[in-house]
Amino acid sequence: MSGILGKAFSVIAVFAVTWGSVIFYWRNSGTVPTGMEMLAYLGLLPVGVSSAGFMLRNAGRSLLDKAVAAADAPAAADTPAAATAADAAPRPSSVAVLAADMRLGLDMDADALLAAVGALPRPGLDGRFHDRDGLPLLMCASADLDDARVLKAQMGAFDTRAAERRAMALLEPVADSLLAQALLALPELEVAEERVVAGLRRRDEQVVETVLAVELLVPADWSVSVRSFCAEWLQGRAEANGLDARRFTVDVGIAADAGEVWSRVQRIADAVGQGTPQWYLLLSCSSAIDPGVVAAWLEENRILHRQNKEGMIPGEGAAGVLFATPSPALVEVPRLWRPQRVEVAPQAGAAERRRQSEALGRTLLTGLAVPPEQVQMVLHDADQRSELAVDASAAATAVNPDLDIGRQALALPVCAGELGPVLPLALVTLAHAHAVAAQSAALILGVSAPSQRVAALVDFPSSHDPSADSLSPA
């Protein structure tokens, strides 16, 4: 009320002063004002002066409020409430790993590979492919693979490449195995009942929610026609394994390299950790055992041969992981903590890249409050290049100095060759197999990409972990 009276008094005062000044000027100067002059000086002028005054006062108050807020901000940051908010930063989220499977060119499953650590098989010379000097190249190709089992060379409206046919042939048993596991994981649907109401037979249909997402990642050079076929094929395989088409979705995407797959796993960990969706089956397949691929790698000097000791060994494989939202019912199921990634500056030297790899692994374990001695296996993507092997070994020993690198570290590309987008899921599959068999944690390290470093952990909920009681996402 006092504010309204103050504003009214201000307006009256402005009008009184303005009118008095104008009338005094007219009387002393002998001016006879016209009707328009009287309207302008006695009406519009006081209104304009009054409005300008209010605008200036509001602007001044706004500036004063901002200055006060800025002055109070440092003090507010030191209050106990602010300190509590800063200490309440969320921990990384985790997802349950219900099942994982893979088929690689070396024809060994995850358990067999883990059992062979320390004496891993190496890719052999393949007489089908030669370098410029006519010498056979090192390859890791699946023996006696029926590459026409899923895709034919000619599919009617489109043709296929050997790389696509071999990758899909390797994917088929992996997809069938994990789709069967997904069927067991999903709760059973209630059977619709028929009832007779007012002499009419009525069938009660329940609403079925989509709770499972199925996604397949393939290399970026696969044709659109092949990707469309893969989506239809995967839909059919899911239904053939007993899944209700109303309960799942199918998507086929592309991934140029392992880094894009790790980004996808991060997003899945965030979504599934919050229960949207509750189950997620991520699949990937790739093959470099193809005359066109080998010729392109030779042209780009990317392949390992007599004159290029730092090149890659072509490989092939398929892998998949079935993720689920953590729950008390899954307390005995391994979990994957959200992978952590750091960017590496292009101008960084070998010592700086190694330091970032070491720091990333230690930071991950510290943030999760996992004792170093619980990490009993390190899986990484270093190949035959000595610099990458040194980076991976340094990062592993920085996490747990008691690790025996010869028996507790596995470099998958050394024995399986270049796997492209399959590599991250194959590493998670190996980590899952180790966690189930040894009841201890497995650390995954990504050191091969020149622009980033990756660290992930697969373990069991344990008593030292405060989140183990509820297993709710962070």
Side-chain angles (χ1 to χ4, degrees), residues 22-33:
V22 171
I23 294 173
F24 178 78
Y25 171 75
W26 285 340
R27 289 176 62 89
N28 288 334
S29 62
T31 302
V32 178

Side-chain angles (χ1 to χ4, degrees), residues 57 85 95 143 182 184 279 304 355 365 386 451 461 472:
R57 186 179 65 174
V95 288
L184 295 176
W279 291 271
L304 177 68
R355 186 195 65 79
L365 261 64
S386 57
S451 60
S472 61

Side-chain angles (χ1 to χ4, degrees), residues 111-362:
D111 292 330
L113 262 178
L114 291 172
V117 172
L120 292 173
R122 297 301 178 97
L125 295 174
D126 195 321
R128 295 172 296 177
F129 303 96
H130 301 83
D131 62 12
R132 297 185 181 91
D133 298 327
L135 299 176
L137 294 170
L138 287 172
M139 297 278 170
C140 186
S142 178
D144 302 325
L145 179 66
D146 181 10
D147 61 355
R149 192 167 58 201
V150 178
L151 283 170
K152 310 298 182 184
Q154 293 183 341
M155 295 293 293
F158 60 93
D159 297 334
T160 63
R161 301 179 299 125
E164 297 163 342
R165 296 194 298 271
R166 294 184 67 88
M168 290 300 295
L170 290 168
L171 176 67
E172 185 181 36
V174 174
D176 285 343
S177 170
L178 294 176
L179 287 169
Q181 292 290 333
L183 178 64
L184 295 176
L186 267 60
E188 295 184 4
L189 289 174
E190 297 181 4
V191 179
E193 298 180 355
E194 291 187 352
R195 295 189 302 171
V196 178
V197 179
L200 298 176
R201 187 177 299 276
R202 190 181 71 179
R203 185 179 180 86
D204 291 336
E205 295 288 348
Q206 66 177 127
V207 177
V208 180
E209 296 182 354
T210 301
V211 294
L212 169 66
V214 182
E215 183 178 15
L216 170 63
L217 298 178
V218 299
D221 60 352
W222 283 31
S223 67
V224 176
S225 299
V226 173
R227 298 204 302 267
S228 299
F229 170 84
C230 291
E232 297 177 1
W233 174 84
L234 200 54
Q235 179 82 23
R237 297 310 303 173
E239 295 179 10
N241 278 278
L243 288 169
D244 191 318
R246 298 170 296 175
R247 307 186 76 187
F248 68 91
T249 60
V250 171
D251 185 36
V252 176
I254 58 174
D257 53 26
E260 294 186 8
V261 181
W262 283 123
S263 299
R264 193 76 191 103
V265 173
Q266 285 181 321
R267 292 193 291 271
I268 291 173
D270 294 336
V272 177
Q274 300 296 331
T276 53
Q278 293 178 272
W279 291 271
Y280 205 109
L281 175 56
L282 182 63
L283 302 163
S284 183
C285 62
S286 175
S287 176
I289 312 302
D290 183 297
V293 175
V294 173
W297 286 18
L298 282 171
E299 183 67 25
E300 299 169 3
N301 200 32
R302 294 175 54 197
I303 200 168
L304 177 68
H305 56 85
R306 186 171 61 88
Q307 298 178 357
N308 182 20
K309 304 299 184 182
E310 298 295 315
M312 298 182 298
I313 299 174
E316 60 184 357
V321 182
L322 178 60
F323 299 104
T325 301
S327 67
L330 301 178
V331 69
E332 296 299 327
V333 173
R335 58 184 175 181
L336 169 70
W337 292 98
R338 186 182 191 272
Q340 304 298 305
R341 299 194 303 161
V342 294
E343 299 297 326
V344 179
Q347 66 274 12
E352 174 62 20
R353 291 195 296 269
R354 188 170 304 128
R355 186 195 65 79
Q356 292 194 5
S357 299
E358 296 173 0
L360 183 60
R362 287 196 300 261

